[in-house]
Amino acid sequence: MTDRDQRTVGAPLALLVLYTLFIAAITLTPQQMGTGPDTLIGHALDLLAAHRETAWLTYERVEKLGNVVMFIPFGFLAALHFGRRRWWLGFLFGAGFSAAIEIFQGTVLTQSRFATLSDLVTNTLGAGIGALLGLCCLVAWPKGSTRRESDKELAPV
């Protein structure tokens, strides 16, 4: 095979499709996650605000951090799927997917969602971080080391 050898073909693509559907379910439905004062997120933010060391973790900062974290697996799985030579497509597809989400939120879900440039930036940043992590894994894993080759080496002659 080319730069995409046996270990990077099936599983990363299947997981990428599932994870893309997960992100779509979170971001493209009219219902937002509960963020009011009586929700789990509201209680967690109140708890963080009550301590001097964590008071800086406001809702806005947690939301931006959440956007970055949500797209890291997307970029990572895309990089694994595309391989060493085209790992950067994880970053590019993450930016495109994020732009599509924001456009959909800004045109179709205008009553319940808000399209923001900061979401586009933080989602793209997360995809870029994930793609870089994917590249690191691709470089760290020896290219020719598959289970079959190691079994051949251990097999008695």
Side-chain angles (χ1 to χ4, degrees):
M1 293 186 103
T2 62
D3 133 48
R4 289 183 348 160
D5 60 18
Q6 296 271 342
R7 67 168 188 251
T8 61
V9 175
L13 179 59
L15 291 172
L16 179 61
V17 169
L18 290 173
Y19 196 73
T20 300
L21 293 173
F22 170 73
I23 292 174
I26 290 175
T27 60
L28 299 177
T29 56
Q31 195 82 2
Q32 289 191 40
M33 272 178 49
T35 57
D38 289 332
T39 64
L40 179 62
I41 294 172
H43 291 300
L45 289 171
D46 287 343
L47 180 66
L48 292 171
H51 298 87
R52 185 173 24 136
E53 297 82 15
T54 56
W56 62 273
L57 282 168
T58 62
Y59 174 77
E60 291 79 20
R61 289 182 177 149
V62 169
E63 181 189 23
K64 287 181 187 351
L65 183 61
N67 285 343
V68 172
V69 170
M70 180 172 59
F71 269 77
I72 289 174
F74 183 91
F76 178 79
L77 292 169
L80 291 183
H81 171 68
F82 289 116
R84 287 184 193 184
R85 292 188 182 168
R86 296 182 301 168
W87 66 271
W88 51 270
L89 287 172
F91 171 75
L92 190 65
F93 276 80
F97 184 39
S98 179
I101 289 169
E102 296 306 313
I103 290 168
F104 189 81
Q105 287 179 346
T107 57
V108 177
L109 301 175
T110 57
Q111 304 253 332
S112 59
R113 296 286 190 149
F114 303 99
T116 65
L117 182 59
S118 70
D119 284 355
L120 175 63
V121 169
T122 54
N123 294 345
T124 302
L125 177 63
I129 291 169
L132 283 171
L133 290 172
L135 174 63
C136 290
C137 287
L138 288 167
V139 168
W141 293 334
K143 190 171 182 169
S145 68
T146 62
R147 185 169 171 81
R148 289 184 198 118
E149 288 175 7
S150 62
D151 288 345
K152 288 178 187 174
E153 292 173 8
L154 297 175
V157 181

